[in-house]
Amino acid sequence: MFKKILIANRGEIACRVIKSAQKMGIKTVAVYSDADEAALHVEMADEAVHLGPPPAAQSYLLADKIIQACKDTGAEAVHPGYGFLSERESFAKALDEAGIAFIGPPAKAIAAMGDKIESKKIANEAGVSTVPGYIGEIEDANEAVKIAADIGYPVMIKASAGGGGKGMRIAYSEQEVHENFDSARNEAIASFGDGRIFIEKFVVEPRHIEIQLIGDQHGNVVYLNERECSIQRRHQKVVEEAPSPFIDPETRKAMGEQSVALAKAVGYFSAGTVEFVVGADKSFYFLEMNTRLQVEHPVTELITGVDLVENMIRVAAGEKLPFTQDDIGINGWAIENRVYAEDPYRNFLPAIGRLVKYIAPEEGPKGDGKVRVDTGVIEGSEISMFYDPMIAKLCTWAPTRIEAIDMQIDALNEYYVRGCGNNIDFVNAVMQHERFRSGNITTAFIAEEYPDGFEGAPLSDDLRTRFAAVAAVCNAIEVGRASRISGQSTPQVLPYGPDRLVKIAGSEHAVSVAGQSDHWLVTIDGTEVVVDDAWRPGDVRFKGTVGAGEITIKIDRTPTGYHMSANGTKVDVSVLPSRIAELSQHMLEKVAPDTSNMLLCPMPGLIVRVDVKEGDSVEVGQALAVVEAMKMENILRAERKATVSKILAEAGDSLAVDAVIMEFE
C-alpha cells in the first residue's frame, strides 16, 4: 500500500480524498494556487506544494509541476479528483513514465471513454443502446446546422471532452445552433483545452440516470446500483439521489450489466460512471462514461456502505476488490444537494465573495438517519471567480426516500451562509415540491416548475405564524436585554404588548408575549403559540419548537426587525409599537433608479465579446454581449427593441456586478 499520495485537485473533493487517505494511514500532499493558499484542503493535508497563479491553466492544469511536486515530496501516487486533469490521458501516461501511480483508470480507457465521440463508437460496437446523433468531429457552425437538420430538432450541442455542464447547449432551431455552437466550443477550450464538438438528438422529457462502477486490475468489475440526477439547471446537476425512484430491479440489472460490459471492453479499472438518458417507458440510451470519481458519489456510498475513494486507492495499489456483485445491495435512501455560490433570485447568476459567516449542519447520526457534509470551505474562505462555484455537498441518508428528503429540509434550514449568494433556499424549495416528492421528475423539472425564475417558496399560513411568533419572542428578548443595559429593573416575567404589531409579507398581526428564559407564550391575533428556544441576541439561527413542531429559522437583524428564512422562504419581518407602525405608513418609499436604458453586467465576470456596435438597432432576444464567469459563458440578450447609443465595455474587460456594458436610446 502507498505511504504517501498527492491530490491533484482543490476544494471539497481534495478534502474528501484526504479523509479516506487519513483513515487508511496514508500521508497526503495538497497542491494549491495563489487563490487557495489558505484553503481547507491545504490545511488538512500533511504537506502542501504551491503551483502558480489562480487561473487553472497556470496552476492546477500544469502536469509537469504536479509530477515535480510528487518527486519533491516522495508521493508515490496521485488522486486526480474530478475535473482538471482527472480525464486527461496524457497526464496518466506522464505519471506512468515518471514511475508514479495514477489513482484512476488506465490511460487507454481514459482515451476511449473520456472522449464522448469515441466512446459512442465503442458503445455501439459493444451493443449498448445509444442516442441518435452524429458520431464525428464538427468543424464549424454551418456544418453543425446541416447535421442538426438531419437529426431533427431539438438537438444537444456537446463538447467532446466536456463534463459538469460545460460546453453544452440545447438548440431548437437553426438560429440557436448558430448562436450556441461557438459559445459551446469556447467553453470547452477554456475548461478542457479541447474544442471538439458533437451533436446528438435531445430526448424530450428525459431522466438522467447513471450507473456507478468500480473495477480492479484483475478483471473484476462491479456496478454499485444507480443514481438519479434529473434535477439539473443548464445541464449542471443540482440534486442527486440513490437509488432512483423510477428504476425497477429488471431495468437496474440491464443497465448495470451493459455498463460492466462496456467497461470490460476497454479494460477498465478504478471508479467510473456510465450515464444514461432514460425514457418514460424505461428505455435507456448511453450518453457518456466519466472515467473518474463523480461529484455525486457520496449517495452511492451511503446506500452501499462502500468507500469509493478507499477502493480506488486499493485498486491503484494492485489489490483485488473485496466484494463481488452479489455483495452489493441497497440500504435505505440517500439525497445530495449541491450548495452553490449562485443567486437563484437573480436567475442563478454566479456569486463570488468571502464567506463572512459559514455554519454547516452538524454531521453524523440524526434519528434513524444521518447527515453528511462534503465541503472545501470554512468561515473566512473566499469563493473565487476562477473555479467551480460549489460551496458544499449536503447529503442525507434515511430508511425511506421521504425521510431522507425531510432530513434535507431540516439540514438546509440549519445551513447559514453569508458573504455571497447561494442556492440554499432554492434546493430547500425543491425538497418540498410535491412533484419532486412524488418522484415524477425529468431533466426539465426546473425549467417547467420555475419558468419565470425563482422567487422563494410560497409563504404558507403555518410558516407565517411561526415567523411572526419567533420575531415577537426575539424582539421581547432584545427589549429585556436593553432594559438591563440601561440600568432599569427587569421583572422575572416579561409581559409584552398588546401594543406591538408584527408586519410580515403585507399583513399585520397584533402580538403579545409572556414568559421567561427559554419558554414563551405568544398571542397572535388572539391565538396562542408556545415557543421554546434558547435564542439570544446575536444568534443567527433560531432552533427550537414553535407550536407543534421543531424548526430552524435563519435570522438577520434589520433596522425595524428581522430578515428570516426557512423552508426555502425568506421574508422581512418588522416588530413595531403600534404608534410607530401607524406613522411608518406615511414614510416615502425610495424609488429605484431607472436602468431600463442600460445593459448591466449581471455578475462579476469577463467580457468575452460584444456583438453590437454604437448606432445598431437591436431586436428583442438579440445577443448583445457574452460574459464569462466561473468557466461558464452567459449570453446577454436585448429585452426590448432599441438603438445602441454608447458602448462602455469591450472584450477582455473584467466587470463588477451591475457595471454598465452599454446604453440605449
Side-chain angles (χ1 to χ4, degrees):
M1 179 50 62
F2 308 119
K3 294 181 179 179
K4 183 185 289 188
I5 66 173
L6 181 145
I7 299 93
N9 217 298
R10 64 175 300 280
E12 62 86 14
I13 189 56
C15 296
R16 164 71 188 91
V17 175
I18 291 171
K19 287 180 180 179
S20 280
Q22 290 174 338
K23 184 179 66 175
M24 299 171 69
I26 299 172
K27 297 290 186 181
T28 57
V29 179
V31 292
Y32 64 95
S33 70
D34 291 343
D36 284 335
E37 183 177 5
L40 181 59
H41 75 282
V42 175
E43 179 182 329
M44 288 178 62
D46 297 291
E47 301 175 61
V49 178
H50 176 253
L51 293 178
Q58 301 175 42
S59 52
Y60 293 105
L61 292 175
L62 297 178
D64 56 340
K65 282 200 171 185
I66 290 172
I67 291 173
Q68 188 61 49
C70 290
K71 293 177 179 179
D72 293 342
T73 60
E76 306 157 85
V78 171
H79 195 302
Y82 52 73
F84 291 151
L85 298 171
S86 63
E87 292 180 289
R88 189 166 294 187
E89 175 195 13
S90 60
F91 181 56
K93 284 184 174 180
L95 288 173
D96 184 59
E97 291 170 0
I100 302 166
F102 180 62
I103 304 175
K108 65 176 184 179
I110 296 176
M113 291 289 98
D115 186 312
K116 293 180 177 62
I117 295 174
E118 183 65 22
S119 67
K120 286 183 180 296
K121 293 178 181 178
I122 296 173
N124 277 328
E125 294 171 0
V128 180
S129 300
T130 57
V131 178
Y134 179 78
I135 310 298
E137 190 173 343
I138 301 170
E139 291 297 328
D140 54 32
N142 291 328
E143 184 183 1
V145 167
K146 295 177 182 177
I147 292 169
D150 291 338
I151 295 172
Y153 291 101
V155 296
M156 174 77 79
I157 301 169
K158 211 168 188 180
S160 179
K166 307 295 190 302
M168 295 174 64
R169 297 287 193 278
I170 298 173
Y172 290 86
S173 66
E174 178 179 323
Q175 178 183 349
E176 292 187 2
V177 172
H178 270 294
E179 288 182 351
N180 289 304
F181 184 85
D182 287 337
S183 285
R185 183 161 57 186
N186 290 341
E187 279 185 10
I189 292 171
S191 297
F192 315 109
D194 186 339
R196 290 175 301 154
I197 297 293
F198 72 99
I199 294 179
E200 65 187 13
K201 178 71 175 178
F202 179 69
V203 179
V204 179
E205 298 186 2
R207 299 177 81 112
H208 185 121
I209 298 175
E210 59 193 30
I211 298 291
Q212 175 69 59
L213 298 174
I214 190 158
D216 61 29
Q217 298 186 51
H218 305 276
N220 303 303
V221 183
V222 173
Y223 67 89
L224 284 76
N225 306 310
E226 81 283 355
R227 295 186 288 256
E228 172 101 31
C229 309
S230 295
I231 306 298
Q232 304 179 4
R233 190 190 62 77
R234 288 190 66 177
H235 319 300
Q236 173 70 62
K237 301 166 188 174
V238 179
V239 181
E240 297 102 353
E241 60 182 301
S244 165
F246 183 67
I247 296 299
D248 55 44
E250 292 75 23
T251 307
R252 176 179 299 119
K253 185 173 185 290
M255 294 174 71
E257 289 178 350
Q258 280 197 21
S259 300
V260 169
L262 182 60
K264 288 186 174 182
V266 293
Y268 196 90
F269 57 79
S270 193
T273 300
V274 181
E275 301 194 351
F276 294 91
V277 58
V278 182
D281 60 354
K282 292 187 172 64
S283 59
F284 56 89
Y285 304 95
F286 171 78
L287 287 176
E288 61 183 327
M289 183 175 187
N290 289 296
T291 56
R292 54 172 168 79
L293 193 67
Q294 290 279 90
V295 175
E296 58 272 22
H297 76 274
V299 292
T300 295
E301 294 183 328
L302 287 169
I303 68 165
T304 62
V306 175
D307 185 324
L308 284 165
V309 173
E310 177 181 341
N311 279 279
M312 289 179 74
I313 296 172
R314 294 191 180 282
V315 165
E319 296 185 14
K320 289 185 177 180
L321 292 178
F323 46 79
T324 66
Q325 191 64 61
D326 292 339
D327 297 321
I328 304 302
I330 298 177
N331 177 29
W333 216 285
I335 306 284
E336 174 180 296
N337 275 302
R338 301 190 186 191
V339 179
Y340 280 130
E342 60 184 17
D343 190 346
Y345 297 96
R346 298 187 64 189
N347 197 28
F348 299 92
L349 293 174
I352 63 174
R354 189 169 298 280
L355 298 176
V356 296
K357 193 74 174 177
Y358 179 80
I359 304 175
E362 184 177 351
E363 289 191 272
K366 184 176 181 182
D368 293 332
K370 66 178 68 173
V371 175
R372 169 174 167 176
V373 181
D374 284 17
T375 186
V377 302
I378 56 175
E379 191 166 291
S381 294
E382 184 174 359
I383 306 300
S384 167
M385 67 178 288
F386 297 104
Y387 311 117
D388 187 273
M390 184 180 292
I391 296 173
K393 301 181 310 197
L394 175 63
C395 307
T396 54
W397 175 90
T400 67
R401 184 172 185 265
I402 290 299
E403 288 175 305
I405 292 172
D406 288 342
M407 286 186 65
Q408 277 283 342
I409 295 170
D410 292 340
L412 288 164
N413 281 342
E414 291 186 20
Y415 235 123
Y416 185 93
V417 179
R418 292 295 181 268
C420 66
N422 62 79
N423 68 335
I424 291 173
D425 285 349
F426 175 70
V427 291
N428 203 332
V430 171
M431 293 297 100
Q432 296 169 85
H433 199 291
E434 284 306 314
R435 181 177 165 190
F436 175 77
R437 295 174 73 86
S438 73
N440 179 26
I441 55 179
T442 70
T443 55
F445 174 88
I446 292 177
E448 291 172 352
E449 299 301 329
Y450 302 95
D452 300 320
F454 179 71
E455 298 179 354
L459 177 62
S460 65
D461 291 340
D462 175 69
L463 196 56
R464 182 188 296 268
T465 298
R466 288 183 163 199
F467 279 156
V470 170
V473 167
C474 292
N475 184 259
I477 292 172
E478 290 183 329
V479 169
R481 170 170 287 194
S483 68
R484 290 194 296 275
I485 292 173
S486 67
Q488 300 176 24
S489 61
T490 304
Q492 291 295 314
V493 178
L494 291 174
Y496 181 89
D499 66 335
R500 286 278 201 294
L501 285 178
V502 169
K503 301 176 68 175
I504 175 172
S507 63
E508 296 183 353
H509 308 274
V511 299
S512 62
V513 178
Q516 60 182 351
S517 186
D518 304 332
H519 182 75
W520 307 89
L521 180 64
V522 183
T523 303
I524 304 175
D525 296 332
T527 300
E528 294 183 343
V529 179
V530 175
V531 178
D532 290 303
D533 181 60
W535 185 87
R536 294 294 179 267
D539 290 349
V540 295
R541 299 183 303 181
F542 172 100
K543 298 179 66 175
T545 301
V546 183
E550 295 182 354
I551 191 170
T552 299
I553 299 173
K554 291 184 272 283
I555 299 176
D556 291 297
R557 197 70 172 86
T558 67
T560 59
Y562 311 92
H563 180 77
M564 311 181 83
S565 62
N567 295 4
T569 302
K570 68 175 185 178
V571 293
D572 285 316
V573 186
S574 296
V575 185
L576 302 169
S578 56
R579 178 57 177 164
I580 294 178
E582 179 183 347
L583 294 174
S584 68
Q585 297 177 6
H586 302 288
M587 297 290 289
L588 296 176
E589 291 188 13
K590 183 178 180 180
V591 179
D594 182 12
T595 59
S596 61
N597 64 335
M598 304 175 186
L599 175 66
L600 305 180
C601 190
M603 73 210 83
L606 182 73
I607 296 291
V608 176
R609 68 173 188 266
V610 176
D611 295 327
V612 294
K613 59 182 183 297
E614 292 181 1
D616 283 358
S617 296
V618 298
E619 300 292 326
V620 175
Q622 182 176 337
L624 301 176
V626 177
V627 178
E628 179 187 332
M630 290 179 169
K631 300 187 290 186
M632 297 287 285
E633 288 196 358
N634 303 271
I635 301 175
L636 308 184
R637 301 180 183 277
E639 296 182 354
R640 60 182 178 83
K641 288 185 177 182
T643 300
V644 179
S645 61
K646 185 182 297 184
I647 294 180
L648 303 172
E650 60 183 18
D653 287 352
S654 182
L655 301 183
V657 63
D658 289 338
V660 180
I661 298 174
M662 63 184 69
E663 297 178 356
F664 307 100
E665 60 181 27

